Amino acid sequence: MHERNPRYQIESGIKNIVLLGTTSETPTLDDSEQESIVKTAWENFNGQINIIVGIGGNNTNSVVKEINSYNFDSIDGILSVSPAYNKPSQQGIYAHYEKISENSPV
């Protein structure tokens, strides 16, 4: 992560940054690379902007497991996607997010 890019955004007035979202290369990063991105953002921008991390997937139980193992000390929020490939019903999507919210400390 290049610190100058978020620094420019902060100086331009942003209030939040989303890391590890679904439109980036996140699926190709291993756990240590993902941790490094979050750590770099926290070390450089903590307190200046809200740090939001993408934690999501098609398997609700896997998402909950990841949330329960995640270090949220430097995280202000999470952004999670709706299951895309198994196409749950509206009630299924609601249940997915309900389970996530019950397990998320942020």
Side-chain angles (χ1 to χ4, degrees), residues 19-34:
L19 307 172
L20 310 176
T22 60
T23 58
S24 67
E25 70 281 352
T26 303
T28 65
L29 301 175
D30 64 31
D31 290 344
S32 65
E33 291 169 320
Q34 291 184 25

Side-chain angles (χ1 to χ4, degrees), residues 26-84:
T26 303
T28 65
L29 301 175
D30 64 31
D31 290 344
S32 65
E33 291 169 320
Q34 291 184 25
E35 289 172 18
S36 177
I37 289 170
V38 174
K39 180 181 177 188
T40 300
W42 185 80
E43 288 173 347
N44 287 280
F45 310 112
N46 185 38
Q48 299 173 55
I49 56 172
N50 293 314
I51 297 173
I52 302 166
V53 175
I55 301 177
N58 290 314
N59 183 321
T60 304
N61 291 331
S62 293
V63 174
V64 168
K65 183 177 178 182
E66 184 176 357
I67 288 170
N68 289 327
S69 68
Y70 211 89
N71 179 358
F72 283 92
D73 290 344
S74 58
I75 307 302
D76 298 296
I78 65 170
L79 178 67
S80 193
V81 298
S82 295

